Amino acid sequence: MTSTTETTRAGAATGRPRRGASPKPAGGASDLWSAVPWTLPALILIFGVVLFPAGYMIYNSTRRISLAGVDHGSVGLQNYVTVLSRPELPGILLNSLVWVVSVVLITVVISLALAQFLNKNFPGRRWVRMSIIVPWAASVVMTTTVFVYGLDPFYGIINKFLVDIHVLAQPFGFTKEPIPAFISSIGIAVFVSLPFTTYTILAGLAGIPGDMLEAAKMDGAGAFRTYFSVTLPNLRNAIALATLINIINVFNSLPILRLMTGSIPGYKADTTTTYVFKLLQNEQRIDLSSALSVINFLIVLVVVSVYLLVVKPMKEVS
């Protein structure tokens, strides 16, 4: 009797269930309903901002809508066929590929070097780090507008500076021709993408154990080998995250290309995102722009899925 009592008390003291006692079921309908007041605002916001507009866009992509906005009924997948058969689309898809790959690749490479520099101790490091945030904190439209006026061949201060230092013989129309405007847009996109990417990689650098770097030095590894054998592999997740978010943001970016190339006739400096805007604004084709928007979404979904499948960002570093 004493032994049984002591066993019961020991079980109660250690928090273990007593013999014969059935555990209480976890969760259940009551827990689900109690969470509704906390999750309902977020669900309503997701429905109103994401799901409903996306569903309405898909619906419009299967309708024939006049220039006046009158719905003349369903046309099935005809709008998709019309968009995909347009002669300018292959060039626009190529521009989109060059745009995303160039901006993301240049941004990551520069951010790796910049993060490595900002991770060192030097006088004024805090102020330099804060200055990196400025392009990120400023509006993309405002930043691009500054470059648009600065690159103007008649009164742009950037153009004048390049002439004064003899880089250019005379002012050049960066925003007047498709290729120079497109290349300039890539530079601006890199400029506004650097802060986020740099700080993401900088956070990854801060998470590398110091004893790991010390062990590499003790083994006789130089700075070059330490970076590529120890530092870079440990930045895998940070680089993968920054790259993924940059791919999505750059692919869907409209303001930079719109402001830099919007006044140029034709489609030689357009991506699929700016092409959607032109279909909607210039041709007033809600149905075709909706179909292209759905195609854009599918392209991003495929690219992100392939990227996650190949890179495996959550794979542990061995």
Side-chain angles (χ1 to χ4, degrees), residues 222-261:
F224 184 84
R225 185 175 177 183
T226 300
Y227 183 78
F228 284 95
S229 299
V230 179
T231 303
L232 206 56
N234 280 279
L235 290 176
R236 175 192 179 93
N237 290 341
I239 295 174
L241 174 63
T243 302
L244 180 61
I245 295 178
N246 274 320
I247 288 174
I248 298 172
N249 287 340
V250 172
F251 186 88
N252 293 311
S253 178
L254 174 65
I256 295 174
L257 286 168
R258 171 60 187 162
L259 290 171
M260 289 291 294
T261 68

Coordinates of all heavy atoms in Angstrom, one line a residue, residues 222-261:
G222 N 44.2 30.3 -45.9 CA 44.3 31.7 -46.2 C 42.9 32.3 -46.2 O 41.9 31.7 -46.1
A223 N 42.9 33.7 -46.5 CA 41.6 34.4 -46.5 C 40.8 33.9 -47.7 O 39.5 33.8 -47.5 CB 41.9 35.9 -46.6
F224 N 41.4 33.7 -48.8 CA 40.7 33.2 -50.0 C 40.0 31.9 -49.8 O 38.8 31.7 -50.0 CB 41.6 33.2 -51.2 CG 40.9 32.9 -52.5 CD1 40.3 33.8 -53.3 CD2 40.9 31.5 -53.0 CE1 39.7 33.5 -54.5 CE2 40.3 31.2 -54.2 CZ 39.7 32.2 -54.9
R225 N 40.8 30.9 -49.3 CA 40.3 29.6 -49.1 C 39.2 29.6 -47.9 O 38.2 28.8 -48.0 CB 41.4 28.6 -48.8 CG 40.9 27.2 -48.7 CD 42.1 26.2 -48.5 NE 41.6 24.9 -48.3 CZ 42.4 23.9 -48.0 NH1 43.7 24.0 -47.9 NH2 41.9 22.6 -47.9
T226 N 39.5 30.4 -46.9 CA 38.5 30.4 -45.8 C 37.2 30.9 -46.3 O 36.1 30.4 -45.9 CB 39.0 31.3 -44.7 OG1 40.3 30.8 -44.2 CG2 38.0 31.4 -43.5
Y227 N 37.2 31.9 -47.2 CA 35.9 32.5 -47.6 C 35.1 31.5 -48.5 O 33.9 31.3 -48.3 CB 36.2 33.8 -48.5 CG 34.9 34.5 -48.9 CD1 34.2 35.2 -48.0 CD2 34.5 34.3 -50.2 CE1 33.0 35.9 -48.5 CE2 33.3 34.9 -50.6 CZ 32.6 35.7 -49.8 OH 31.4 36.3 -50.2
F228 N 35.8 30.8 -49.4 CA 35.1 29.9 -50.3 C 34.9 28.6 -49.7 O 33.9 27.9 -50.2 CB 35.9 29.8 -51.6 CG 35.8 31.0 -52.5 CD1 36.7 32.0 -52.5 CD2 34.7 31.1 -53.4 CE1 36.6 33.1 -53.3 CE2 34.6 32.2 -54.2 CZ 35.5 33.2 -54.2
S229 N 35.6 28.2 -48.7 CA 35.4 26.8 -48.1 C 34.6 26.9 -46.8 O 34.0 25.9 -46.5 CB 36.8 26.2 -47.8 OG 37.5 26.0 -49.0
V230 N 34.6 28.0 -46.1 CA 33.9 28.1 -44.9 C 32.7 29.1 -44.9 O 31.6 28.8 -44.7 CB 34.8 28.4 -43.7 CG1 34.1 28.6 -42.4 CG2 35.9 27.4 -43.6
T231 N 33.1 30.4 -45.3 CA 32.1 31.5 -45.2 C 31.0 31.3 -46.2 O 29.8 31.3 -45.9 CB 32.8 32.8 -45.4 OG1 33.9 33.0 -44.5 CG2 31.8 34.0 -45.3
L232 N 31.4 31.1 -47.5 CA 30.3 31.0 -48.5 C 29.4 29.8 -48.3 O 28.2 30.0 -48.5 CB 31.0 30.9 -49.9 CG 30.2 31.5 -51.1 CD1 29.8 32.9 -50.9 CD2 31.1 31.4 -52.4
P233 N 29.9 28.6 -48.0 CA 28.9 27.5 -47.7 C 27.9 27.8 -46.6 O 26.8 27.4 -46.7 CB 29.8 26.3 -47.4 CG 31.1 26.6 -48.1 CD 31.2 28.1 -48.0
N234 N 28.4 28.6 -45.6 CA 27.5 28.9 -44.5 C 26.5 30.0 -44.8 O 25.6 30.3 -44.0 CB 28.3 29.3 -43.2 CG 28.9 28.1 -42.5 OD1 28.2 27.5 -41.7 ND2 30.1 27.7 -42.8
L235 N 26.7 30.7 -45.9 CA 25.8 31.7 -46.4 C 24.8 31.2 -47.3 O 24.0 32.0 -47.9 CB 26.6 32.9 -47.1 CG 27.5 33.7 -46.2 CD1 28.3 34.7 -47.0 CD2 26.6 34.5 -45.2
R236 N 24.7 29.9 -47.5 CA 23.8 29.3 -48.5 C 22.4 29.7 -48.3 O 21.7 30.1 -49.2 CB 24.0 27.7 -48.4 CG 23.0 27.0 -49.2 CD 23.0 25.5 -48.9 NE 22.0 24.8 -49.7 CZ 22.4 24.1 -50.8 NH1 23.6 24.2 -51.2 NH2 21.5 23.5 -51.5
N237 N 21.9 29.6 -47.1 CA 20.5 29.9 -46.8 C 20.2 31.4 -47.0 O 19.2 31.8 -47.6 CB 20.1 29.5 -45.4 CG 20.0 28.0 -45.3 OD1 19.9 27.2 -46.3 ND2 20.0 27.5 -44.1
A238 N 21.1 32.2 -46.6 CA 20.9 33.7 -46.7 C 20.9 34.1 -48.2 O 20.1 34.9 -48.6 CB 22.0 34.4 -46.0
I239 N 21.9 33.5 -49.0 CA 21.9 33.9 -50.4 C 20.7 33.3 -51.1 O 20.1 34.0 -52.0 CB 23.2 33.3 -51.0 CG1 24.4 34.0 -50.4 CG2 23.2 33.4 -52.5 CD1 25.8 33.3 -50.9
A240 N 20.3 32.1 -50.8 CA 19.1 31.5 -51.4 C 17.8 32.3 -51.1 O 17.0 32.6 -52.0 CB 18.9 30.1 -50.9
L241 N 17.7 32.8 -49.9 CA 16.5 33.6 -49.5 C 16.5 34.9 -50.3 O 15.5 35.3 -50.9 CB 16.5 33.9 -48.0 CG 15.4 34.8 -47.5 CD1 14.0 34.3 -47.8 CD2 15.6 35.1 -46.0
A242 N 17.7 35.6 -50.3 CA 17.8 36.9 -51.0 C 17.6 36.7 -52.5 O 16.9 37.6 -53.1 CB 19.2 37.5 -50.7
T243 N 18.1 35.7 -53.1 CA 17.9 35.5 -54.5 C 16.5 35.2 -54.8 O 15.9 35.7 -55.8 CB 18.8 34.3 -54.9 OG1 20.2 34.5 -54.6 CG2 18.7 34.0 -56.4
L244 N 15.8 34.4 -54.0 CA 14.4 34.0 -54.3 C 13.5 35.3 -54.2 O 12.7 35.5 -55.2 CB 13.9 33.0 -53.3 CG 12.5 32.5 -53.4 CD1 12.2 31.9 -54.7 CD2 12.1 31.6 -52.3
I245 N 13.7 36.1 -53.2 CA 12.8 37.3 -53.1 C 13.2 38.3 -54.2 O 12.3 38.9 -54.7 CB 13.0 37.9 -51.7 CG1 12.5 37.0 -50.6 CG2 12.3 39.3 -51.6 CD1 12.7 37.4 -49.2
N246 N 14.4 38.4 -54.6 CA 14.8 39.3 -55.6 C 14.2 38.8 -57.0 O 13.8 39.6 -57.8 CB 16.3 39.4 -55.7 CG 16.9 40.4 -54.8 OD1 16.3 41.5 -54.7 ND2 18.0 40.1 -54.2
I247 N 14.2 37.5 -57.2 CA 13.6 37.0 -58.5 C 12.2 37.4 -58.6 O 11.7 37.9 -59.6 CB 13.8 35.5 -58.5 CG1 15.2 35.1 -58.8 CG2 12.9 34.9 -59.7 CD1 15.5 33.6 -58.7
I248 N 11.4 37.3 -57.5 CA 10.0 37.6 -57.5 C 9.8 39.1 -57.7 O 9.0 39.6 -58.5 CB 9.3 37.1 -56.3 CG1 9.4 35.6 -56.2 CG2 7.9 37.6 -56.2 CD1 8.9 35.0 -54.9
N249 N 10.6 39.9 -56.9 CA 10.4 41.4 -57.0 C 10.8 41.9 -58.3 O 10.2 42.8 -58.9 CB 11.2 42.0 -55.9 CG 10.6 41.8 -54.5 OD1 9.4 41.5 -54.4 ND2 11.4 42.0 -53.4
V250 N 12.0 41.5 -58.8 CA 12.5 42.0 -60.1 C 11.6 41.6 -61.3 O 11.3 42.5 -62.1 CB 13.9 41.5 -60.3 CG1 14.4 41.9 -61.7 CG2 14.9 42.1 -59.3
F251 N 11.1 40.4 -61.3 CA 10.2 40.0 -62.4 C 8.9 40.8 -62.4 O 8.5 41.2 -63.5 CB 9.9 38.5 -62.2 CG 9.1 37.9 -63.3 CD1 9.7 37.4 -64.4 CD2 7.7 37.9 -63.3 CE1 9.0 36.9 -65.5 CE2 7.0 37.4 -64.4 CZ 7.6 36.9 -65.5
N252 N 8.4 41.1 -61.2 CA 7.2 41.9 -61.2 C 7.4 43.4 -61.1 O 6.4 44.2 -60.9 CB 6.3 41.5 -60.0 CG 5.8 40.1 -60.1 OD1 5.3 39.7 -61.1 ND2 6.1 39.2 -59.1
S253 N 8.6 43.9 -61.3 CA 8.9 45.3 -61.1 C 8.4 46.1 -62.3 O 8.7 45.7 -63.5 CB 10.4 45.5 -61.0 OG 10.7 46.9 -61.0
L254 N 7.6 47.1 -62.0 CA 7.0 48.0 -63.1 C 7.6 49.4 -63.1 O 7.9 49.9 -64.1 CB 5.5 48.0 -63.0 CG 4.8 49.0 -63.9 CD1 4.9 48.5 -65.3 CD2 3.3 49.0 -63.5
P255 N 7.7 50.0 -61.9 CA 8.0 51.5 -61.9 C 9.3 51.9 -62.6 O 9.3 52.8 -63.4 CB 8.2 51.8 -60.4 CG 7.4 50.8 -59.7 CD 7.5 49.5 -60.5
I256 N 10.4 51.1 -62.4 CA 11.7 51.4 -63.0 C 11.6 51.4 -64.5 O 11.9 52.4 -65.2 CB 12.8 50.5 -62.5 CG1 13.0 50.6 -61.0 CG2 14.1 50.8 -63.3 CD1 14.0 49.6 -60.4
L257 N 11.2 50.3 -65.1 CA 11.1 50.2 -66.6 C 10.0 51.2 -67.1 O 10.2 51.7 -68.2 CB 10.8 48.8 -67.0 CG 12.0 47.8 -66.9 CD1 11.5 46.4 -67.0 CD2 13.0 48.1 -67.9
R258 N 9.0 51.3 -66.4 CA 7.9 52.2 -66.9 C 8.4 53.7 -67.0 O 8.1 54.4 -68.0 CB 6.7 52.2 -65.9 CG 5.6 53.2 -66.1 CD 5.0 53.1 -67.5 NE 4.1 54.1 -67.8 CZ 3.7 54.5 -69.0 NH1 4.1 53.8 -70.1 NH2 2.8 55.4 -69.2
L259 N 9.1 54.2 -66.0 CA 9.6 55.5 -66.0 C 10.8 55.7 -67.0 O 10.9 56.7 -67.6 CB 10.1 55.9 -64.6 CG 8.9 56.1 -63.6 CD1 9.5 56.3 -62.2 CD2 8.1 57.3 -64.0
M260 N 11.6 54.7 -67.1 CA 12.8 54.8 -67.9 C 12.5 54.5 -69.4 O 13.2 55.2 -70.3 CB 13.9 53.8 -67.5 CG 14.5 54.1 -66.1 SD 15.6 55.6 -66.2 CE 16.9 55.0 -67.3
T261 N 11.6 53.6 -69.7 CA 11.4 53.2 -71.1 C 10.0 53.5 -71.6 O 9.7 53.2 -72.7 CB 11.7 51.7 -71.3 OG1 10.7 51.0 -70.6 CG2 13.1 51.4 -70.8

